[in-house]
Amino acid sequence: MADLIALETNREARRKVRHWNDDNPENRREWNEVDSTEIKAFIGLCLYAGLHKSNHEVVSLLWSENEGRPMFTATMPRNRFTSILKFLRFDNRATRQERQADDKLAPFRDLWSLFQVQLPKLYIPGPDLCVDEQLVAFRGRCGFRQYIPSKPAKYGIKIWWCCDSQTCYPLNGEVYLRRQPGQQREIGQGARVVKQLVAPWRRSGRNITADNFFTSIPLAEDLLKDGSTYVGTIRSNKPHIPDAMRANSTRLVNSSLFGFNDQATLVSYVPKEKQAVLALSTMHHDDQVDGDAQKPEIILYYNSTKSGVDNLDHLAKMYTSRRKVNRWPVALFGNVVDVGAVAAFIIWMGNFPQWKISEGKRRRRLFLSELANQLVMPHIRRRALTPTLQAPIRNAMKMVGVDLPPPVQQAQALTSAGKRRRCHLCPRGIDKKVRLACDRCKQPVCPSHSVQQVLCDNCF
């Protein structure tokens, strides 16, 4: 994915810089190509900011010498970070309009597809799967933005997820795009979403749990034909719901009514006066109740397996890397990073359950810190080879544990270039000509942008 992001970001940056140079020939700009290593470092900084609840903090404070953190200063300049964020793209702009005629998610489709392909490869789910929705907070312009007043964010982009009920590992997802261009109004959307999301695990004997938006008797019967059971709440206005099971004032609190056929069980439970909770199950075939509230076993099982997507959303928001942006593809990209970090933690703990067990609930925070560190370190070590780093950057690198070349090697890095050439670090308007060149990159450099050291013969 990093290669795709680097390719499209460079393409967009070159286009913007070319237009700027055409309009401002006296003040031309250049774009230094970004590669996959730098993109990973950018993602690592976003994770690091989210880890410290600084994802909405002003960028200048993140790089501040007094209030910032050395990880940001050591990784890349502040202007480089803002430039990457500005030019961040995930598709080819030249062909976008043609693709958007059939797909509203065209600006983000390639990255989303790559992400979806990787998720099920790395994890084998347990016996229970959960299907539910996530709302990615976003208030900018977007043709498929949703308003859900029951959600904390209220406005955003809706994603349907299929997760493992026990660990909340994300297995499959679909971005809700409303009606695609040329598409007719969809009937039975909830059933279609469940079948599509759980398709890779049908005929595996697993149970599917979903809420009343998705649940219908035909859906439960279709899944049962493929060997998958279904448990979910169901709306009282659905067909085949007897009037006796709907809410009324004559039913006693904590009472239950059961309905059975050869394949499914329907239960109506009264938690309060004039209320009724209806649940459908193809897994249970008895009228068992439990506890002081006399709740049916179907509802207890539903409550224990319904929270996979909600837990995933909670974990993704707890240390979110999403920055405040006005472009919905970047908002979705931030959510992909957060969900991917949750998935990585679940896989890691599955392989190493005793890892830092004494830290308890802090283990996920420590994992995210190590993940961000692993993403930025290759770029920091590559940057440390630059012999003209300023003192604050060198100090920041030392604080994050990067070994810098000794001063003797930096003193030997400056050699004579012969013919006088313009310093590649000075502004073009200054036009400073020098004979020195960096021994590593062979670029001409002036004394003000180089490091020199005087040593006696014994010390040398």
Side-chain angles (χ1 to χ4, degrees):
M1 289 195 294
D3 293 331
L4 170 66
I5 299 172
L7 173 66
E8 302 302 340
T9 300
N10 286 326
R11 194 198 308 270
E12 177 66 13
R14 288 193 297 265
R15 187 186 70 85
K16 289 285 187 68
V17 170
R18 184 169 60 252
H19 288 174
W20 168 270
N21 292 337
D22 292 342
D23 297 336
N24 303 273
E26 72 285 351
N27 187 17
R28 299 179 62 84
R29 295 178 179 177
E30 294 182 1
W31 168 254
N32 294 326
E33 298 281 312
V34 63
D35 58 8
S36 59
T37 301
E38 194 170 9
I39 288 294
K40 292 177 182 178
F42 172 83
I43 296 173
L45 290 183
C46 292
L47 284 171
Y48 198 77
L51 181 65
H52 296 278
K53 309 293 185 180
S54 303
N55 56 308
H56 286 170
E57 197 171 306
V58 180
V59 175
S60 59
L61 292 179
L62 298 178
W63 269 262
S64 172
E65 188 172 352
N66 297 325
E67 302 180 31
R69 294 181 175 85
M71 182 67 74
F72 294 92
T73 304
T75 304
M76 65 178 65
R78 180 190 65 188
N79 290 342
R80 182 63 170 175
F81 180 87
T82 56
S83 295
I84 294 176
L85 183 62
K86 175 182 177 181
F87 297 128
L88 195 63
R89 295 296 186 278
F90 314 100
D91 74 318
N92 188 351
R93 182 189 179 98
T95 62
R96 181 185 302 167
Q97 187 173 1
E98 179 182 354
R99 289 180 285 110
Q100 273 188 321
D102 301 321
D103 184 11
K104 292 182 180 179
L105 197 64
F108 194 69
R109 177 64 69 182
D110 293 341
L111 186 68
W112 180 254
S113 299
L114 290 174
F115 182 61
Q116 291 299 302
V117 168
Q118 294 300 320
L119 286 176
K121 287 182 178 180
L122 306 173
Y123 187 85
I124 299 176
D128 294 292
L129 303 181
C130 171
V131 176
D132 206 347
E133 65 184 20
Q134 177 199 23
L135 188 70
V136 181
F138 183 73
R139 287 180 174 262
R141 296 174 59 184
C142 179
F144 44 90
R145 187 185 65 179
Q146 292 286 292
Y147 172 67
I148 305 179
S150 61
K151 298 288 186 180
K154 291 184 172 55
Y155 291 92
I157 301 172
K158 183 165 70 174
I159 304 177
W160 286 307
W161 285 106
C162 174
C163 294
D164 183 280
S165 295
Q166 183 178 1
T167 63
C168 78
Y169 182 88
L171 296 164
N172 199 1
E174 178 187 345
V175 181
Y176 175 55
L177 304 173
R178 291 186 176 176
R179 198 181 304 176
Q180 290 276 35
Q183 193 178 54
Q184 299 296 324
R185 182 176 179 273
E186 186 175 12
I187 299 175
Q189 184 183 67
R192 191 269 306 168
V193 169
V194 172
K195 292 177 183 178
Q196 181 174 327
L197 292 181
V198 304
W201 300 276
R202 295 182 75 167
R203 302 185 183 276
S204 64
R206 290 181 169 86
N207 178 71
I208 315 299
T209 302
D211 63 18
N212 57 20
F213 173 80
F214 305 95
T215 305
S216 65
I217 293 177
L219 169 64
E221 293 175 346
D222 288 345
L223 292 175
L224 192 61
K225 292 177 182 178
D226 289 335
S228 299
T229 58
Y230 184 90
V231 176
T233 54
I234 186 171
R235 293 176 179 175
S236 60
N237 61 354
K238 292 285 186 180
H240 313 297
I241 301 297
D243 292 337
M245 288 191 168
R246 295 187 172 94
N248 59 66
S249 59
T250 62
R251 298 184 59 187
L252 298 177
V253 176
N254 296 338
S255 64
S256 301
L257 285 177
F258 289 86
F260 302 94
N261 66 9
D262 295 337
Q263 296 180 325
T265 300
L266 184 66
V267 62
S268 175
Y269 172 72
V270 181
K272 297 180 181 179
E273 290 185 3
K274 300 181 181 181
Q275 294 184 10
V277 176
L278 283 83
L280 176 69
S281 174
T282 57
M283 183 181 183
H284 303 81
H285 302 283
D286 54 39
D287 58 354
Q288 183 177 352
V289 296
D290 192 17
D292 296 336
Q294 294 295 294
K295 283 188 177 181
E297 181 65 24
I298 295 175
I299 293 180
L300 293 175
Y301 190 87
Y302 169 78
N303 290 338
S304 65
T305 58
K306 70 174 183 177
S307 303
V309 179
D310 292 336
N311 291 336
L312 172 67
D313 187 34
H314 171 71
L315 293 176
K317 289 178 179 177
M318 185 180 297
Y319 299 116
T320 179
S321 63
R322 297 201 302 266
R323 303 198 63 81
K324 188 176 181 180
V325 292
N326 294 325
R327 291 185 288 127
W328 64 261
V330 181
L332 280 180
F333 172 69
N335 187 69
V336 164
V337 172
D338 295 335
V339 172
V342 174
F345 176 69
I346 294 171
I347 293 173
W348 178 264
M349 295 308 301
N351 291 320
F352 306 99
Q354 300 299 318
W355 181 76
K356 297 188 182 297
I357 193 171
S358 60
E359 297 291 342
K361 294 182 179 180
R362 293 187 67 250
R363 289 197 290 178
R364 180 165 175 262
R365 181 183 177 88
L366 295 175
F367 174 83
L368 290 176
S369 178
E370 183 64 23
L371 175 62
N373 188 70
Q374 293 294 327
L375 288 171
V376 301
M377 275 303 166
H379 184 65
I380 294 179
R381 293 192 182 98
R382 185 174 63 178
R383 191 186 184 197
L385 299 177
T386 305
T388 57
L389 292 176
Q390 299 177 353
I393 301 176
R394 294 175 59 84
N395 294 335
M397 289 183 174
K398 292 178 182 178
M399 294 178 67
V400 299
V402 175
D403 296 330
L404 294 171
V408 172
Q409 294 182 8
Q410 294 197 9
Q412 295 174 344
L414 297 174
T415 59
S416 175
K419 185 178 179 181
R420 295 175 70 244
R421 294 186 295 169
R422 181 185 297 112
C423 174
H424 77 291
L425 296 177
C426 290
R428 294 182 63 88
I430 297 179
D431 196 26
K432 182 183 292 187
K433 300 292 181 61
V434 295
R435 295 185 183 276
L436 293 176
C438 177
D439 190 48
R440 288 185 179 141
C441 65
K442 307 302 181 183
Q443 296 290 332
V445 61
C446 68
S448 61
H449 288 110
S450 59
V451 177
Q452 301 187 45
Q453 190 175 19
V454 176
L455 298 174
C456 68
D457 292 340
N458 292 336
C459 293
F460 185 82

